Amino acid sequence: MDTGAQYNNMIVADNLGKSFVSGDGTSTPVFSGLAFTAGSGMTAITGPSGCGKSTLLYCLSGLEPVSQGNVWVLGEAIHEKDQRDLALFRRTHIGFVFQAYNLVPSMSVWDNIQLPLNLAGRKVSSERISELITRFRLNGHDGDAAGSLSGGEQQRVALIRTLVADPDVVFADEPTGALDQRTGQLVFEELKAFAHRPGKCVIIVTHDWRLAKLCDFVYIMQDGNLNGSAPSGVQV
Ligand SMILES: Nc1ncnc2c1ncn2[C@@H]1O[C@H](COP(=O)(O)OP(=O)(O)OP(=O)(O)O)[C@@H](O)[C@H]1O
């Protein structure tokens, strides 16, 4: 286990349940009664396709309302917040990297990266954007339309857009999913370095067990259960 991480319950969820209700009123549960905690450092959620990993990430980040249970992020009960307070809290403290990137295809890489900061009326550091573009090996693409980039390049733009806002908590859904092994490792190391800065917490969903094992803590989701362990093998 990487000793750079200190676990201090930055995210706590208990008795967590989520069901989706279809048009005819039928409720389909994805999971129920789950417990989750994460502190500073890097935590992975892994498990088979369709088991509910993305749904869990959405519930923990406040993007999806929970059907049951409680979620605290940085000590704030996000399950109790109204839409306005939740949006403000998320904008201030949380970054989310979507599996589908959610870039504006016609806008340049640079403009996509600074868009959320501009919308929030926050100062944009050109130096920080340039630094991240270099670190994520996207030099020379600043002015390219985001839609003209490869999937892997767009994935890195989406990561930069999240990190440049310097959130306390980053949720990333398959952040290396579109990348070859070498680039995936590079991106993973950048995220891990961010996670090990003081007061930062990164939660990733990944199918890549090789990367999950390099995290400070791993949750395996399967058959409605969520089991956490440190990669050193200590069960919790
Ligand atoms: N908005 C939604 N409405 C209805 N059902 C949904 C919705 N979002 C997810 N689901 C269902 O919830 C279940 C879990 O989906 P989810 O995307 O969370 O799984 P996952 O483990 O992240 O899958 P993958 O690894 O393939 O991305 C699936 O059966 C999915 O169809």
Side-chain angles (χ1 to χ4, degrees), residues 20 30 47-56 64 99 174 205 207:
F20 288 107
V30 181
S49 197
C51 69
K53 303 179 296 297
S54 297
T55 304
L56 175 62
E64 214 23 279
Q99 204 168 5
E174 292 284 356
V205 161
H207 279 110

Side-chain angles (χ1 to χ4, degrees), residues 83-203:
Q83 283 296 327
R84 194 176 152 276
D85 282 354
L86 184 57
L88 186 62
F89 180 77
R90 293 190 57 243
R91 199 185 311 145
T92 312
H93 298 287
I94 295 177
F96 199 102
V97 185
F98 293 91
Q99 204 168 5
Y101 324 134
N102 291 12
L103 302 175
V104 183
S106 58
M107 281 174 71
S108 71
V109 165
W110 189 276
D111 287 346
N112 264 283
I113 291 170
Q114 61 178 5
L115 182 64
L117 290 173
N118 282 340
L119 289 175
R122 287 177 55 187
K123 194 176 171 298
V124 179
S125 163
S126 299
E127 292 77 20
R128 177 69 174 146
I129 295 178
S130 293
E131 180 200 338
L132 286 168
I133 283 177
T134 301
R135 294 181 81 95
F136 281 87
R137 309 258 166 90
L138 285 171
N139 290 86
H141 289 294
D142 313 17
D144 293 350
S148 71
L149 303 183
S150 73
E153 288 165 343
Q154 290 188 44
Q155 188 157 42
R156 281 175 279 158
V157 175
L159 280 157
I160 295 172
R161 183 181 57 181
T162 296
L163 295 186
V164 83
D166 200 28
D168 301 309
V169 181
V170 172
F171 295 93
D173 198 353
E174 292 284 356
T176 62
L179 305 174
D180 61 73
Q181 189 169 329
R182 197 164 138 267
T183 315
Q185 185 75 35
L186 171 109
V187 162
F188 177 83
E189 293 302 336
E190 287 295 334
L191 270 176
K192 195 169 175 185
F194 183 86
H196 284 172
R197 285 168 52 193
K200 303 291 185 191
C201 170
V202 176
I203 316 286

